[in-house]
Amino acid sequence: MNSVNRTIKSSSSIEPASERSRHSLVLQAWEAINSERELEGVLAAVAKVLVPAVPFFAVAIIAPEARQGAPWALHIVDLPGSGDEGADNVHRRLTGTLPPVAPTPQKKLAPYEGSELEAVKRAAQPYICDDLLKKDAWFPHEFKLGAVGIRAYTSIPLQARGKRIGVLVFSRVKPDPFRPDQMTILVDVSRAIAVAVANALANEEIARLRDQLEAENVALRDQLSRITKFEEMVGDSPSLRRALEAVEQVAATDATVLIAGETGTGKELIARAIHQRSHRAKGPLVKFNCAAIPETLLASELFGHERGAFTGAIERRKGRFEHAQGGTLFLDEIGELPPELQVMLLRVLQEREFERLGGDDTIHVDVRIVAATNRDLMDDVRAGRFRSDLYYRLNVFPLRLPPLRERSGDIPLLAAHFAAKHGERFGRAIKRIDRRSMKLLESHHWPGNVRELENVIERAIILSRDGVLRIERDALPHANLMGNMDERLQAQEREAIEAALRASRGRISGPNGAARALGLPPSTLDLRIKTLGIDKFQYRVMK
C-alpha cells in the first residue's frame, strides 16, 4: 500500500476547476458512464475522466442494505507505478476475508445516533472525512477503510426516483481533504452513476423474476403431468373434480346421461369419457348434433330411410341409431329437437325399437343414450317447447359441467396444456407464459369457455416470439382486470345451494330441507334457484 501512497498526488496541487471546465468534466463523465453496461466498467470510465482533476485512490458503490454493506462494485485507480494491490485484494480486505494491510489503530466505536453521519444521511447530503487517523472514534465501516490504508474519503448518497439505492464512496490514501469544488463535481457525477445503479438493480430484478417464472412454469408442467386427463379435460378445481367423479360413477352403468353446460365447456369430451369407461367401449360412439341438421332431414339421419321413402331416397340408408348398435349415441344440443322428433325419440328410449322412414319393419337396437344441452330444458318444459316425459327419460343421470368462470383456478393448467399442444403442432416451443398475460387470462369472463381459451392460446402461439407466450388485451376485448366480483359471488352462491339440495335430495322446505340448512325462507330459496337456473328436480333422483 505504501507504493500506492507514493504515487498519488496531493489534491492541494490541483487548481480549482472553473465553472466551464467543471461542466465539461461532468459531461465527459456522463458520456463515459453511458458507454458502459457493467458497474465495474462504469466506475473505471468515471475514474479515467475524473482522476486528472479530482484524484482519488479508489471508488466503490456500496450495495443496498440487503448486501450487508459489502461493496457492490469497486475500482482501484491504476496509475503508473501504483504497486500490485489489486481490486480483488482490496475487496477481500474490506469484507474481512484478508488481513489488514497494516495494523489498524486502536479506536473507539462511534455511536451512529446523534452523529454528523446520521444528520447528513437524513438530509441526503454527502459525508466527508478529512483524515481518519485524527478521529477519536470510528464508525463500523471506517474500521474496514482503515484496514486498507484509507485516510480521507467521502460518501455520496445515490438516489433514483426519490429512493435511496446505495452510496458512492471516493477514497484517498493520504489525508487530503475533498475540496468544495471537487465535491461539486463528484456530486454531479454521482447522479449519473445513480442512474446506472438503478438500471443494474432493475436488471437484477428482471433476472430474478425470469428465474422465478421459469421455476413456476416447470412446477406448472409437473403439476399438469400429474393430473389425470379425461380426454383432454384438464383441471383440478373442485367443481370439475365433482363432475369427473360423476363420470366415473355413471360410466360403468347403462343409464341415460343428460350433460348440461354452456357452449365450449367440453360436453362432447365428457360423452367420450363416459363411452370409453363403459362396457360399450369396444362398440361405436356415434355423434349427432340436433342443431346442425335441417328439420326435414333429422328423422332420416336418426332413424334411416327405405328406398323411395321421399324424393331423392334412391337407396336404403341406415340411421345413427343403427350405426350406434352395441355402443353409445351422443345427441348434442338435444334441446333443438323439434316436437315431432321428440315423440319418435321418446319411443326409442322406452321401447328400444323404431322403423325406418318409409319402412314397415321394426328394428330393435341396443344403444346407450348420452344427451347434451346448453339450454335450461326445465324452462323449455314449462314453456311447452320440450316434452316433459322425454325430459325425465333423458334426465336419469343429470351431469352439469361448470363454466370456465367458475373454475378460474384451472386456467393456468389449461393455458399450459394448450400452449404445449398447439406449440408442437406449429413447431414453436413455448417455454413460459408471460405473467401479465396470465393475469389477463384469469380475469376474463370467458363467455365461450374452454373453446374460447384454446382459440386465444392458439392465436397467441402464432404471434409468439422467443418461446414466450404473450396475450394482448385486444385479444380479449371484454377482459376485466379487476375480476367480476358479482359472478364470483354468484358462483359461490350456486355451489352452496347445490350442496344443500344434494344433501336434502332436492327438498326445499321442511325440517330437512335445503332452505333450513341455508337459513333462508323457502320462497326466497325458490326464487334464487330460478334466478341461477338450477334444476332442483335432478337432485331428487340422486342416491
Side-chain angles (χ1 to χ4, degrees):
M1 188 65 70
N2 291 336
S3 62
V4 177
N5 292 347
R6 287 193 297 272
T7 60
I8 300 290
K9 297 181 180 180
S10 171
S11 63
S12 59
S13 63
I14 305 296
E15 295 183 0
S18 67
E19 190 71 14
R20 178 177 295 180
S21 62
R22 180 176 68 82
H23 284 306
S24 175
L25 193 64
V26 171
L27 182 59
Q28 291 178 50
W30 272 85
E31 291 174 349
I33 290 169
N34 290 334
S35 66
E36 299 291 335
R37 294 179 63 88
E38 302 295 331
L39 289 180
E40 286 77 5
V42 167
L43 296 184
V46 166
K48 186 175 182 180
V49 172
L50 290 185
V51 164
V54 186
F56 50 83
F57 164 67
V59 56
I61 296 171
I62 304 301
E65 294 178 2
R67 297 176 181 269
Q68 300 178 345
W72 189 5
L74 174 68
H75 177 70
I76 308 297
V77 177
D78 186 19
L79 294 176
S82 61
D84 58 359
E85 182 69 11
D88 288 343
N89 282 348
V90 173
H91 191 282
R92 293 167 67 188
R93 295 188 201 283
L94 286 172
T95 55
T97 55
L98 271 186
V101 69
T104 304
Q106 297 296 319
K107 297 289 184 179
K108 298 178 182 178
L109 184 63
Y112 174 72
E113 292 185 3
S115 66
E116 180 187 359
L117 180 60
E118 181 189 32
V120 296
K121 183 177 179 180
R122 287 184 176 179
Q125 296 295 321
Y127 176 76
I128 303 172
C129 174
D130 293 341
D131 188 354
L132 267 177
L133 295 184
K134 289 183 179 180
K135 294 181 66 174
D136 295 329
W138 285 358
F139 297 110
H141 68 274
E142 291 177 332
F143 285 91
K144 296 179 180 180
L145 294 175
V148 293
I150 300 300
R151 292 289 297 274
Y153 76 93
T154 178
S155 63
I156 304 171
L158 296 174
Q159 290 188 323
R161 300 180 184 91
K163 180 181 178 182
R164 182 178 175 181
I165 57 175
V167 293
L168 184 65
V169 179
F170 294 92
S171 58
R172 289 170 172 166
V173 293
K174 283 192 175 184
D176 295 334
F178 287 89
R179 298 194 311 264
D181 62 308
Q182 294 175 337
M183 286 301 302
T184 301
I185 294 173
L186 296 182
V187 169
D188 287 343
V189 171
S190 71
R191 296 190 182 98
I193 294 178
V195 174
V197 171
N199 291 338
L201 283 171
N203 289 334
E204 276 198 350
E205 179 66 10
I206 290 171
R208 185 188 69 79
L209 291 174
R210 183 169 58 247
D211 292 342
Q212 179 182 334
L213 282 172
E214 289 292 346
E216 288 176 356
N217 277 278
V218 169
L220 187 61
R221 285 193 293 269
D222 290 342
Q223 184 181 2
L224 185 62
S225 65
R226 291 195 299 268
I227 292 176
T228 302
K229 296 180 182 177
F230 276 68
E231 285 66 39
E232 298 186 353
M233 288 295 294
V234 177
D236 197 34
S237 62
S239 57
L240 182 63
R241 281 203 305 268
R242 285 195 296 271
L244 299 184
E245 287 170 3
V247 169
E248 294 282 13
Q249 291 172 342
V250 76
T253 73
D254 242 359
T256 302
V257 180
L258 179 60
I259 306 170
E262 296 178 7
T263 299
T265 51
K267 296 186 290 296
E268 183 177 331
L269 297 179
I270 289 296
R272 189 187 307 163
I274 292 172
H275 172 71
Q276 292 184 352
R277 284 160 177 77
S278 73
H279 65 87
R280 297 175 177 269
K282 293 182 180 179
L285 171 63
V286 178
K287 306 168 190 175
F288 182 76
N289 191 316
C290 301
I293 307 295
E295 288 190 19
T296 54
L297 298 178
L298 277 174
S300 173
E301 288 291 329
L302 275 175
F303 307 112
H305 61 257
E306 297 289 348
R307 179 179 178 181
F310 52 85
T311 303
I314 59 176
E315 61 181 359
R316 172 188 290 179
R317 180 179 180 183
K318 292 182 178 181
R320 302 299 173 94
F321 270 97
E322 289 182 81
H323 285 299
Q325 176 69 21
T328 303
L329 177 61
F330 174 51
L331 300 175
D332 199 7
E333 305 299 347
I334 191 68
E336 303 297 329
L337 206 62
E340 58 272 17
L341 263 295
Q342 294 178 26
V343 176
M344 298 174 70
L345 178 59
L346 179 61
R347 181 194 172 196
V348 179
L349 291 176
Q350 289 175 334
E351 308 297 336
R352 300 291 171 176
E353 63 183 29
F354 63 92
E355 291 84 27
R356 297 192 191 101
L357 294 184
D360 298 323
D361 296 335
T362 299
I363 299 170
H364 297 273
V365 289
D366 176 23
V367 174
R368 181 185 193 171
I369 301 296
V370 176
T373 181
N374 61 1
R375 296 168 56 166
D376 186 340
L377 286 186
M378 199 59 208
D379 276 353
D380 288 346
V381 169
R382 297 189 192 101
R385 293 187 296 269
F386 201 85
R387 293 181 62 96
S388 61
D389 46 3
L390 177 59
Y391 171 75
Y392 291 116
R393 280 287 179 180
L394 293 171
N395 202 40
V396 174
F397 190 91
L399 197 157
R400 177 182 176 270
L401 282 185
L404 190 54
R405 62 181 173 274
E406 292 182 14
R407 43 182 286 230
S408 57
D410 289 338
I411 290 176
L413 293 173
L414 286 164
H417 169 70
F418 292 136
K421 173 184 173 182
H422 295 294
E424 181 179 358
R425 184 161 70 93
F426 294 139
R428 296 188 177 184
I430 301 299
K431 298 177 182 177
R432 64 182 180 89
I433 301 175
D434 176 62
R435 173 173 289 186
R436 183 193 64 82
S437 299
M438 185 60 74
K439 289 183 178 178
L440 195 63
L441 293 176
E442 291 175 330
S443 69
H444 188 44
H445 178 66
W446 298 114
N449 293 293
V450 178
R451 186 182 294 123
E452 182 187 1
L453 173 62
E454 181 173 9
N455 291 341
V456 168
I457 296 296
E458 187 175 356
R459 182 165 60 250
I461 289 173
I462 297 172
L463 301 174
S464 66
R465 296 290 184 273
D466 304 324
V468 180
L469 190 73
R470 295 182 176 87
I471 310 294
E472 297 300 329
R473 189 177 301 183
D474 292 345
L476 304 174
H478 304 296
N480 178 5
L481 299 180
M482 299 301 294
N484 193 319
M485 185 59 68
D486 288 341
E487 289 188 355
R488 292 184 184 180
L489 293 174
Q490 192 177 84
Q492 292 173 1
E493 183 184 15
R494 174 188 286 275
E495 280 199 20
I497 291 175
E498 288 181 340
L501 288 172
R502 195 175 297 112
S504 69
R505 296 189 180 182
R507 187 180 297 276
I508 301 296
S509 57
N512 298 321
R516 184 162 185 174
L518 294 170
L520 296 173
S523 58
T524 301
L525 179 56
D526 252 330
L527 178 62
R528 294 308 301 157
I529 288 174
K530 291 177 182 178
T531 302
L532 294 171
I534 298 172
D535 180 10
K536 62 184 177 183
F537 298 102
Q538 65 177 312
Y539 298 98
R540 295 184 180 178
V541 296
M542 295 180 64
K543 296 183 179 179

